[in-house]
């Protein structure tokens, strides 16, 4: 997966484009059921009777009287059945045969979206990669799921970024422009996440986050870099980044504190010493989740060896690709994001 803007491959992309042109003009302010029905009546959409599913109210569409590009479900909360949370339209409803096919589907959908609506506001991952377009009153999200299916969702524009996607996976990530609330720095003093946090829990959450980033990033395609270290001592840090389908980890802080590096221990732990720096490369990290767990273990151990205090632990990161650069937000990592200038 080369770092360019691929068009993807989807036999029904003209049907999808027609559907995007249908829903893009929709502007909902209250996101009430009555407003939705009124706004979509001109499209010939007609809802069936509601069904309660796992604390939600689902409304599907009458045959041939719904979204033109797939199976649509209007979703509300059971406590407020007249208040719409989102419209989910499964535009590819069968699992992909392989990873290349899955990438072709979502890339084709993103290509159409960017041609019709311009660049997305945000990238992210939640059981698969997605792009989000924020528009007045209504946001549009196009999501590849973990089996390669593709959904387009209409959401209230004010929806919190942590609620985007399926919302129950671990290791979620967000990438947005500087100043977006989804990736705004959170000082350690203002972050409640560290209460009760242990190094073991940090390692587990980091492994989940790296697994998501390793898998999702090549779809765009993009490249991420993640720094972990002391919020108050910029020399005590480690970092990792993606390179094609690989993951590279680096114990960068040992350049500044070589006394903390025990060569025998680090070699036993899997590190390789080259050109004055300790690194390790994990080929095909996209395909093997075990690499993320090993990388997280190695990074956390070196943070401890560098003397980083758990209460002072923070992260910073970026995501780049398709000619753009974003700040990285990791809502499940459980530690604050603090902008860390280059050392």
């Amino acid at each position: 997966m080369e770092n360019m803007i691929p068009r993807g491959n989807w036999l029904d992309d003209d049907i999808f484009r027609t559907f995007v042109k249908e829903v893009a003009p929709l502007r909902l302010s209250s996101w009430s059921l009555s407003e939705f029905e009124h706004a979509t009546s001109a499209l010939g959409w007609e809802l069936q009777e509601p069904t309660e599913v796992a604390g939600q109210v689902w409304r599907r569409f009458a045959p041939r009287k719904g979204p033109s590009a797939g199976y649509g479900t209007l979703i509300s909360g059971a406590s407020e059945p007249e208040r719409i949370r989102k419209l989910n339209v499964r535009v590819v409803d069968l699992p992909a045969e392989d990873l290349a096919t899955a990438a072709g589907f979502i890339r084709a959908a993103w290509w159409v979206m960017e041609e019709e609506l311009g660049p997305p506001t945000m990238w992210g991952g939640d059981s698969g990669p997605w792009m989000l377009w924020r528009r007045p009153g209504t946001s549009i999200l196009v999501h590849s799921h973990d089996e390669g299916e593709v959904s387009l969702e209409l959401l209230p524009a004010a929806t919190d970024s942590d609620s985007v996607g399926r919302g129950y996976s671990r290791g979620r990530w967000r990438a947005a422009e500087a100043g977006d609330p989804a990736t705004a720095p959170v000082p350690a003093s203002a972050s409640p996440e560290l209460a009760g946090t242990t190094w073991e829990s940090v390692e587990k959450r980091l492994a989940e986050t790296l697994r998501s980033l390793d898998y999702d990033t090549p779809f765009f395609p993009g490249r991420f870099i993640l720094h972990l270290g002391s919020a108050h001592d910029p020399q005590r840090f480690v970092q990792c980044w993606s390179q094609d389908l690989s993951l590279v980890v680096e114990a960068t802080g040992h350049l500044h504190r070589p006394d903390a590096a025990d060569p025998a221990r680090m070699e036993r732990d899997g590190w390789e010493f080259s050109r004055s720096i300790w690194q390790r490369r994990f080929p095909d990290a996209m395909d093997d989740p075990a690499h993320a767990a090993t990388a997280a273990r190695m990074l956390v151990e070196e943070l401890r060896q560098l003397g980083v205090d758990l209460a002072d632990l923070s992260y910073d990161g970026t995501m780049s690709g398709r000619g753009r650069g974003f700040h990285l937000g990791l809502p499940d990592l459980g530690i604050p994001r603090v902008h860390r200038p280059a050392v």
Side-chain angles (χ1 to χ4, degrees):
M1 298 184 183
E2 298 176 359
N3 194 20
M4 52 183 288
I5 302 180
R7 180 159 188 161
N9 181 32
W10 192 2
L11 294 178
D12 293 332
D13 59 354
D14 288 338
I15 295 176
F16 181 70
R17 187 184 300 275
T18 299
F19 173 56
V20 171
K21 289 181 176 180
E22 288 176 352
V23 299
L26 292 177
R27 298 290 186 269
L28 302 176
S29 56
S30 67
W31 278 81
S32 65
L33 177 61
S34 59
E35 182 190 31
F36 179 87
E37 290 181 309
H38 176 75
T40 57
S41 61
L43 299 175
W45 294 6
E46 181 180 318
L47 289 167
Q48 296 179 321
E49 291 300 311
T51 302
E52 187 165 334
V53 179
Q56 296 180 332
V57 175
W58 288 14
R59 293 177 173 88
R60 300 191 186 276
F61 294 86
R64 295 180 296 280
K65 293 185 178 181
S68 60
Y71 299 98
T73 304
L74 196 66
I75 300 175
S76 306
S79 60
E80 292 185 288
E82 302 296 310
R83 182 75 58 193
I84 306 304
R85 289 183 178 178
K86 66 179 177 180
L87 168 67
N88 178 282
V89 181
R90 188 63 64 94
V91 294
V92 176
D93 65 343
L94 294 176
E97 295 179 358
D98 51 37
L99 192 60
T101 303
F105 286 157
I106 191 61
R107 287 172 170 180
W110 287 339
W111 181 280
V112 170
M113 291 292 295
E114 290 192 277
E115 282 198 326
E116 296 297 327
L117 303 182
T121 310
M122 186 186 304
W123 300 359
D126 183 351
S127 295
W130 50 256
M131 287 185 181
L132 176 74
W133 285 258
R134 283 204 182 107
R135 300 167 64 75
T138 303
S139 292
I140 303 178
L141 178 139
V142 179
H143 189 174
S144 176
H145 298 275
D146 46 13
E147 295 295 329
E149 307 96 326
V150 177
S151 289
L152 182 146
E153 295 184 352
L154 297 185
L155 306 158
T159 298
D160 186 271
S161 65
D162 286 356
S163 302
V164 170
R166 298 171 72 175
Y168 57 77
S169 68
R170 300 299 301 271
R172 296 170 299 164
W173 62 272
R174 310 287 183 255
E177 300 282 359
D180 191 288
T183 60
V186 179
S189 59
S191 178
E193 292 95 332
L194 285 175
T197 293
T198 64
W199 282 111
E200 290 73 18
S201 63
V202 169
E203 179 182 325
K204 179 181 178 181
R205 292 194 295 260
L206 178 59
E208 293 165 341
T209 298
L210 290 178
R211 172 56 186 149
S212 294
L213 286 167
D214 288 342
Y215 180 80
D216 295 341
T217 302
F219 276 85
F220 292 93
R223 182 182 182 186
F224 75 85
I225 183 167
L226 173 63
H227 305 263
L228 298 150
S230 167
H232 297 98
D233 185 348
Q235 293 187 344
R236 298 177 188 262
F237 77 102
V238 297
Q239 60 184 334
C240 60
W241 61 87
S242 60
Q243 190 167 352
D244 298 322
L245 304 183
S246 301
L247 173 68
V248 181
V249 296
E250 182 178 278
T252 322
H254 290 312
L255 283 171
H256 308 288
R257 298 182 175 274
D259 56 309
D262 178 352
R265 176 190 61 79
M266 296 191 72
E267 288 177 359
R268 287 195 304 270
D269 288 347
W271 293 96
E272 299 172 359
F273 189 71
S274 176
R275 299 179 181 179
S276 303
I277 193 70
W278 290 96
Q279 289 185 340
R280 180 171 174 181
R281 181 183 302 273
F282 296 89
D284 300 321
M286 183 184 189
D287 298 323
D288 190 345
H291 289 331
T294 302
R297 174 183 56 77
M298 294 173 66
L299 291 170
V300 166
E301 177 59 27
E302 296 318 308
L303 286 169
R304 300 179 72 170
Q305 294 294 331
L306 287 165
V308 176
D309 191 279
L310 187 58
D312 194 37
L313 182 62
S314 66
Y315 80 92
D316 191 13
T318 59
M319 175 73 74
S320 60
R322 305 171 81 94
R324 306 187 69 192
F326 292 123
H327 288 282
L328 195 59
L330 306 173
D332 291 333
L333 193 53
I335 60 176
R337 179 176 182 270
V338 177
H339 176 64
R340 183 174 289 105
V343 177

